[in-house]
Structures are given as C-alpha cells and as structure tokens.
Amino acid sequence: MFLTRVRTTAAAGALALSALFTLSGCSLLDDSGTSAASEGGGSQGAGDDSPGADADIPYDVTPLLKPGKKYFGAAVDGAPNSMKGVDTYTAMTGKKPNLIEYYAAWGDGFDAAGVRNAWDEGALTLVSWEPFDITLADIAAGEKDAYLKKYAASVRRLNLPVVISFADEMNGHWEKWGTRNVTPKQYVAAWKHIHDTFTDAGASNVIWAWSPNIVNPVKSVELEPYYPGDGYVDWVGVIGYFTHEEDNAYQSVFGPTLDEIRTFTKKPTLILETAAEPGERRRADVRNLFAGVEADDDMLGFVWFDHKKRADWRLKVSPLALKEFKRLAADDLFGFDVRKP
C-alpha cells in the first residue's frame, strides 16, 4: 500500500518512482492525502445496521474461512457503500467479485450499509482499518475504548460476516504504524486488545486478517514477532504487486513471504491486495497471478486493486491484460456466492 498511502512531504517527493514500485502496495490515501472514504470508497459510519440474521445468534463464519472455491476480490471506487463500481467491474471482467475491499481510517464509523450492500449481492466485505491519527500504544492501553466498543457493537448488531485487516504492512518502514515507529510488542498488544474488545462485544462474525507486505523490499524484518498468534488470526492477508523492477514469477513475488509465514502458522492465506504495473508484461503478470493462486491449496484467492493511485492499476487501461484476466476469471474455481459457501 506504500504507493498511494505516502503523504506529500519533501522527503517523499524526492523518492524515485522506481523505488515506489519496488516497495509496491496501494491504499487509503491518494497523492493529495484524500481518503478513499471521502471519495466514496466507504462510509464514515452512517448506515443501516439492523441485524442481518437472528440478532441473538452470532453469524457463524466458519464455512467462509476456507471454502471450496477461491475468492475473487476487488477494490473499486465507491464500493461497497455504492455498488455501481462493482457492477462496472463485473461487466468488464465477466464475473462479479465476491470479496469487496475498502479502506477506513481509525475514527471512521463501521459502514454497515456498505457491508449489507455487498452481502445482498453475494459478496463479503473486507475493511482495511488504518490507524493514522492514533498510536498503537494508546489503542493497547484502552485510550480509545469508547470508539472501539461502539464500532464492535455496530459490527455485532449488523450480524453479517465481515473481514477486518488492522494496520496492515506493519513490517514496512513507510507506515506510521510501521517499523520506524512501532515495536512488534506494541503492534501485537494493540491487535490483541482490539480482538479482545470485539470478543467481549460478542462480535464473532468477524474474520481477522493479519496482513504483512511481501518481504521483498524489507528482507531484514522478521514477520513472526509481529504475529499475534493463531488464537487471534483467521487469515494471513499478504500484500504484494507485480512490478517491472523484479521477476514476475508468482513464486518470486509471493514465495519468500509465504515460505516465511508457514514456518510459524498454518492459517489460510489470501492475497489481500495486488495488481500489476501497466506495460507489455502485464498480460503475463495476470496469467502468473491466476496460475499461482490456483496451484496453492492454502491460498484462498486474491483482491485486485482497481484504482489509479501513483500508478494506474485499473484493468481497463490494458486491453490485452484485461482480455487475459477475463478469460482466466471465467474458471469456475474463482468466485462463489458467499451466502452459500
């Protein structure tokens, strides 16, 4: 997410574009510091959070944790608060995404209306929850428990499955909550406090996705110290992009990270955020992505970041790559109605 989340500073402006591509990733902020939520990429908390099922019985997410088919996910403008972007993406790729990712800052309310919108169309919502204006130490200490408890209560009240990825790319130095500012101990403490607060609220309808960046640009940072433990994590959501600066083999992009992760947990993995840099190689990148995900039984699927943020990751700008993407997406292995896993 480094590419689009960096705030505009003199230091950031001096970075070469090739360095940005090497680090990969995209997320909440564009170059001007505008949040995806303010652009229609999520809600600031308003919405219908009336129960999606029997309010007295928490939704059982177990069938969604490792379904028989792969998740076919997308992050698109406006979704899931508005599903128009999803409809456009569906028409373009020939298949409806069943995992919709949006970005929310710490302090935003839970987008219950958006989660319901996605659910009504057979899709699960993934919230990338980013603590820009709060320290992880304060979260762990309970300084923002009033907000946290209200958020957890809203999630429980809606009682539909939702995926939460908190403070992703913690192994990167480019994040406020990354390696330059936060220790692994502080990160784990904040994660556990959030998880425990949701548990106390009865919000067991959450799938927790722990989401490091691929290790390629930060090989010296060990992942295991940042891992909260199997009791606090349901999915490992890896974030990584196909860029021109490195070999585009699936194993080259994701292999080192997956190999390291599997030394300390056997939890299912998901490519939580990915795309391929535009250019002549993009068609091959798409082919490698689908083939790699298909061949890995522990890989749940992927989310394509279909935004223009520091690079144009949208499929529509590369007709040949889009044609290949559409051909491969037609495989019945990818996508399913999450209401009937």
Side-chain angles (χ1 to χ4, degrees):
M1 298 184 187
F2 176 79
L3 284 175
T4 61
R5 190 186 280 136
V6 177
R7 295 180 185 273
T8 305
T9 63
L15 290 174
L17 184 59
S18 61
L20 295 177
F21 281 151
T22 299
L23 288 170
S24 297
C26 302
S27 181
L28 181 64
L29 299 181
D30 64 13
D31 295 344
S32 65
T34 303
S35 72
S38 67
E39 293 180 342
S43 166
Q44 298 300 314
D48 175 21
D49 61 357
S50 57
D54 187 332
D56 295 327
I57 304 175
Y59 198 102
D60 182 10
V61 300
T62 304
L64 294 167
L65 295 180
K66 195 170 183 182
K69 296 184 179 182
K70 306 284 188 179
Y71 284 99
F72 178 70
V76 300
D77 285 338
N81 197 255
S82 168
M83 295 296 283
K84 290 181 180 178
V86 174
D87 294 340
T88 300
Y89 189 86
T90 300
M92 177 177 67
T93 63
K95 180 168 286 187
K96 180 180 294 186
N98 68 340
L99 183 60
I100 307 299
E101 181 171 10
Y102 82 93
Y103 303 91
W106 183 270
D108 289 352
F110 175 57
D111 187 1
V115 173
R116 182 181 290 280
N117 287 342
W119 186 258
D120 287 345
E121 295 194 19
L124 188 62
T125 297
L126 191 164
V127 184
S128 182
W129 201 8
E130 302 177 312
F132 283 107
D133 298 318
I134 180 73
T135 67
L136 268 61
D138 283 349
I139 291 174
E143 295 295 325
K144 295 298 181 180
D145 273 6
Y147 163 69
L148 186 56
K149 289 177 180 180
K150 182 179 180 181
Y151 197 105
S154 295
V155 172
R156 172 63 183 93
R157 186 163 53 248
L158 180 64
N159 202 23
L160 291 174
V162 62
V163 185
I164 293 180
S165 171
F166 172 74
D168 59 8
E169 298 186 57
M170 77 301 294
N171 59 319
H173 55 267
W174 51 86
E175 300 291 10
K176 181 181 178 181
W177 53 88
T179 55
R180 287 179 178 169
N181 303 306
V182 175
T183 67
K185 185 177 180 180
Q186 290 171 328
Y187 178 87
V188 169
W191 180 285
K192 288 185 173 181
H193 181 71
I194 292 170
H195 187 284
D196 288 345
T197 301
F198 275 71
T199 299
D200 291 344
S204 58
N205 51 308
V206 175
I207 296 171
W208 294 94
W210 177 74
S211 308
N213 194 78
I214 55 173
V215 299
N216 299 16
V218 283
K219 292 182 174 66
S220 63
V221 180
E222 295 184 2
L223 294 177
E224 187 172 8
Y226 288 90
Y227 188 63
D230 282 357
Y232 288 87
V233 173
D234 298 301
W235 291 349
V236 174
V238 179
I239 297 169
Y241 286 66
F242 291 82
T243 65
H244 295 168
E245 278 66 38
E246 59 182 294
D247 177 8
N248 71 332
Y250 178 89
Q251 182 62 26
S252 299
V253 178
F254 298 105
T257 307
L258 296 174
D259 290 345
E260 183 175 341
I261 287 167
R262 285 164 180 161
T263 65
F264 58 84
T265 181
K266 303 303 180 185
K267 289 291 184 177
T269 52
L270 171 83
I271 298 178
L272 186 133
E273 187 182 296
T274 192
E277 186 179 350
E280 293 182 3
R281 206 186 73 179
R282 199 179 205 194
R283 185 180 183 184
D285 294 343
V286 165
R287 188 181 302 116
N288 291 349
L289 172 64
F290 274 89
V293 171
E294 181 175 357
D296 188 344
D297 290 339
D298 291 327
M299 183 58 69
L300 299 171
F302 67 88
V303 178
W304 184 273
F305 185 84
D306 204 61
H307 291 281
K308 182 180 180 181
K309 300 290 172 67
R310 287 192 180 267
D312 200 339
W313 306 103
R314 296 173 300 171
L315 286 165
K316 71 178 185 180
V317 302
S318 303
L320 291 177
L322 172 57
K323 183 178 180 180
E324 186 72 356
F325 190 97
K326 186 173 183 177
R327 181 182 73 83
L328 295 168
D331 190 327
D332 188 56
L333 178 65
F334 291 94
F336 59 92
D337 189 331
V338 298
R339 296 167 298 183
K340 303 172 184 179

